[in-house]
Amino acid sequence: MPLPDAEALCSALADLIRPQVTAATALIGIHTGGVWIAERLQAALGLAQPPGALDVSFYRDDYNQRGLHASAKKSHIPFDVEGAHIIIVDDVLYTGRTIRAAMNEIFDYGRPARIDLAVLTDRGGRELPIAPTFCPHTLSLSASQMLALEQTNAGKLVFRVTEK
Amino acid sequence: MRNPQLNAHGELNHLLTIEGLPREVLTRILDTATPFTEVAEREVKKVPLLRGKSVFNLFFENSTRTRTTFEIAAKRLSADVINLNINTSSATKGESLLDTVDNLAAMQADMFVVRHASSGAPHLIAQHLAATGREHIHVVNAGDGRHAHPTQGLLDMYTIRHYKQDFSNLTVAIVGDVLHSRVARSQIHALTTLGVPEVRVVAPKTLLPTGIERLGVRVFHDIGAGLRGADVVMTLRLQNERMQGALLPSTQEYFKSYGLTPERLARAKSDAIVMHPGPMNRGVEIDSAVADGSQAVILPQVTFGIAVRMAVMAMLGGA
């Protein structure tokens, strides 16, 4: 199965978001793929706010089953969340659990005016009532397949599928 | 035999001592502490990891700072925290340590943070829990006798890594009352495990345990020589309350020979950091000019201590 061109999807995603951008708009990427995409969107949309970065390890709903994620990174939101229009950015939308965790975490920084969700691709398989606001691509994969974004040494974003 | 602190997958199940823990486990605790430092900067200084869990602070020996930082750490992980100062309750009525533990376990405890004057008390509790099929209850040693104070050792390592980045070419001098210090033992095990090439202890003969060299440290009795070229100076509290017999002529004499003054600190590298586990005896082991000086990182140690304790409890409290 051919995988989508991640760089092209970043441009398509920026085109979808552009009409909705206001002075209050700010991006928050989810580690790790979402952070790379948020940096590209930031440049493409010319946003004043530098993007934030979230690692949702402290908010995951499988902590009691699986323990703390081994390589949690620092979350960092360099702008005031209170009253902001936030766009959560991630590479792949799947069960929706990461997005729920991200929203829970964002509210610990303040009360945003609005939250949207931007992803490069939606692979289905939702386990929560969460839908993307901006999504240029869909594909269907079996539950045993993992889809993730990687960055090549040259800095190019590419999708990779692995079997669980 | 398996390390009693690790489960069958090599993951931390209790934190009893740094001695014998692999470098990967220490490094993982330090790495995990980093994202927790950011939680303190938020509007809501809390994450939900230990929501619904009960953490019992079992303090059989007085401590303000350690108990408070464990309490803050557990609360920032959303745990329910119950503080028990046992020297003022059951123990004085004659209840045994393990009876106390059994009663609290019957109240659905998930974690015990234990401070005890007897070395080995946290080990005994962990063994008892394992022997009675209650390994899901975790034990954190918050200081036992002269044996270990692992979270203090870890927060010291976090502080060193924060300021010096890398352990592999450091000279670290531990100065003071090593004999009575569980902190010093935890520091020595952590420093050698993390690959610090030169660990020194600087103290009068009467305040050093015999055979300390076997832990992989160089012994100095002269503070000038001991501090020369050091990157990190870790001062220890002179433990007056633990002194028995005439180990020292007086605290004034001690300061004269071993107190960390600006003149003595000048023997270390110019960018050396000065640490102290607290509480400080100013004018005994450390001069105020050093304690309040630009090289002191004593208050950052306290702040980092919360993140390190959050990391330890979060690593224990999951699956």
Side-chain angles (χ1 to χ4, degrees):
Chain A
M1 179 199 57
L3 289 173
D5 177 342
E7 293 289 348
L9 287 180
C10 280
S11 306
L13 187 57
D15 292 340
L16 290 175
I17 295 171
R18 194 168 288 111
Q20 306 293 325
V21 169
T22 71
T25 300
L27 306 174
I28 296 181
I30 296 176
H31 274 298
T32 309
V35 173
W36 297 329
I37 301 164
E39 284 163 1
R40 279 168 171 62
L41 293 176
Q42 157 82 13
L45 298 170
L47 297 180
Q49 299 287 8
L54 281 191
D55 183 308
V56 300
S57 297
F58 300 159
Y59 292 78
R60 290 176 62 101
D61 61 9
D62 57 1
Y63 170 72
N64 283 323
Q65 287 78 46
R66 302 176 61 178
L68 190 63
H69 198 266
S71 52
K73 294 181 186 67
K74 240 187 208 182
S75 291
H76 177 62
I77 300 185
F79 50 83
D80 193 0
V81 163
E82 195 74 27
H85 169 218
I86 286 170
I87 302 176
I88 296 175
V89 181
D90 205 359
D91 44 10
V92 181
L93 180 59
Y94 183 26
T95 63
R97 289 173 191 271
T98 300
I99 305 304
R100 181 190 98 113
M103 286 194 283
N104 286 354
E105 180 160 9
I106 287 169
F107 276 84
D108 283 351
Y109 290 83
R111 180 179 184 270
R114 178 186 168 91
I115 299 181
D116 284 314
L117 173 61
V119 296
L120 291 192
T121 183
D122 178 355
R123 59 167 289 186
R126 213 79 75 245
E127 294 168 0
L128 294 172
I130 282 172
T133 326
F134 310 106
C135 177
H137 185 265
T138 60
L139 84 170
S140 96
L141 293 170
S142 77
S144 67
Q145 291 176 304
M146 302 281 292
L147 178 66
L149 200 61
E150 292 181 356
Q151 194 165 34
T152 66
N153 290 336
K156 194 170 179 299
L157 298 183
V158 291
F159 275 114
R160 184 191 287 274
V161 171
T162 51
E163 291 292 328
K164 248 187 232 176
Chain B
M1 201 190 84
R2 191 171 90 207
N3 186 320
Q5 308 179 91
L6 303 178
N7 67 17
H9 309 291
E11 298 158 342
L12 212 57
N13 195 46
H14 306 292
L15 180 63
L16 306 174
T17 176
I18 289 174
E19 185 177 6
L21 283 184
R23 186 192 288 201
E24 301 70 52
V25 172
L26 299 190
T27 304
R28 178 159 175 223
I29 296 171
L30 302 184
D31 290 345
T32 304
T34 301
F36 281 112
T37 59
E38 190 272 343
V39 174
E41 296 161 22
R42 301 181 185 184
E43 172 102 9
V44 177
K45 295 172 182 51
K46 244 184 199 315
V47 294
L49 289 173
L50 296 189
R51 208 161 63 93
K53 301 264 166 77
S54 300
V55 174
F56 284 73
N57 275 334
L58 282 179
F59 278 62
F60 295 86
E61 189 185 71
N62 284 327
S63 154
T64 308
R65 179 188 331 248
T66 302
R67 207 213 61 208
T68 307
T69 51
F70 267 109
E71 182 175 351
I72 292 171
K75 285 182 168 170
R76 288 190 181 163
L77 293 169
S78 303
D80 294 313
V81 184
I82 298 95
N83 290 312
L84 293 119
N85 292 318
I86 314 276
N87 52 356
T88 59
S89 71
S90 307
T92 54
K93 297 178 189 164
E95 186 174 67
S96 82
L97 173 65
L98 297 182
D99 281 334
T100 302
V101 165
D102 284 340
N103 274 276
L104 298 173
M107 299 177 202
Q108 277 81 41
D110 295 292
M111 197 180 293
F112 292 121
V113 176
V114 183
R115 159 72 61 99
H116 203 289
S118 300
S119 302
H123 269 100
L124 183 70
I125 294 173
Q127 268 171 6
H128 175 67
L129 291 170
T132 51
R134 293 176 291 181
E135 275 131 331
H136 60 280
I137 305 179
H138 308 282
V139 180
V140 181
N141 182 0
D144 63 329
R146 295 183 188 183
H147 172 239
H149 193 349
T151 58
Q152 178 71 45
L154 288 165
L155 78 88
D156 291 336
M157 297 310 111
Y158 188 91
T159 306
I160 292 173
R161 199 174 74 166
H162 177 84
Y163 290 100
K164 299 292 171 191
Q165 280 77 48
D166 183 20
F167 294 102
S168 65
N169 43 29
L170 294 181
T171 297
V172 178
I174 300 170
V175 185
D177 183 2
V178 177
L179 178 65
H180 297 99
S181 179
R182 53 194 172 213
V183 172
R185 283 168 186 70
S186 288
Q187 288 169 337
I188 292 168
H189 289 303
L191 290 165
T192 53
T193 303
L194 290 167
V196 172
E198 171 129 339
V199 183
R200 303 173 179 171
V201 292
V202 184
K205 280 197 179 82
T206 53
L207 292 182
L208 282 174
T210 51
I212 185 82
E213 301 85 353
R214 286 200 297 270
L215 297 183
V217 298
R218 280 182 72 190
V219 174
F220 290 80
H221 299 302
D222 175 67
I223 187 167
L227 294 185
R228 191 169 298 128
D231 298 282
V232 178
V233 182
M234 306 175 90
T235 50
L236 296 171
R237 189 169 68 86
L238 189 67
Q239 307 212 10
N240 279 315
E241 73 278 17
R242 290 187 221 277
M243 295 280 174
Q244 285 161 351
L247 294 177
L248 287 176
S250 71
T251 54
Q252 290 87 345
E253 281 296 314
Y254 180 80
F255 182 72
K256 220 187 271 176
S257 312
Y258 288 96
L260 187 63
T261 58
E263 298 72 38
R264 287 181 175 144
L265 179 58
R267 300 289 196 95
K269 286 197 183 139
S270 58
D271 64 348
I273 54 170
V274 175
M275 301 167 61
H276 192 293
M280 280 188 284
N281 298 305
R282 289 170 183 262
V284 179
E285 69 264 2
I286 190 165
D287 190 305
S288 275
V290 173
D292 304 326
S294 61
Q295 288 170 266
V297 296
I298 296 165
L299 294 176
Q301 280 178 271
V302 177
T303 308
F304 293 145
I306 295 172
V308 168
R309 288 174 176 128
M310 286 172 81
V312 168
M313 288 196 269
M315 286 171 66
L316 297 179

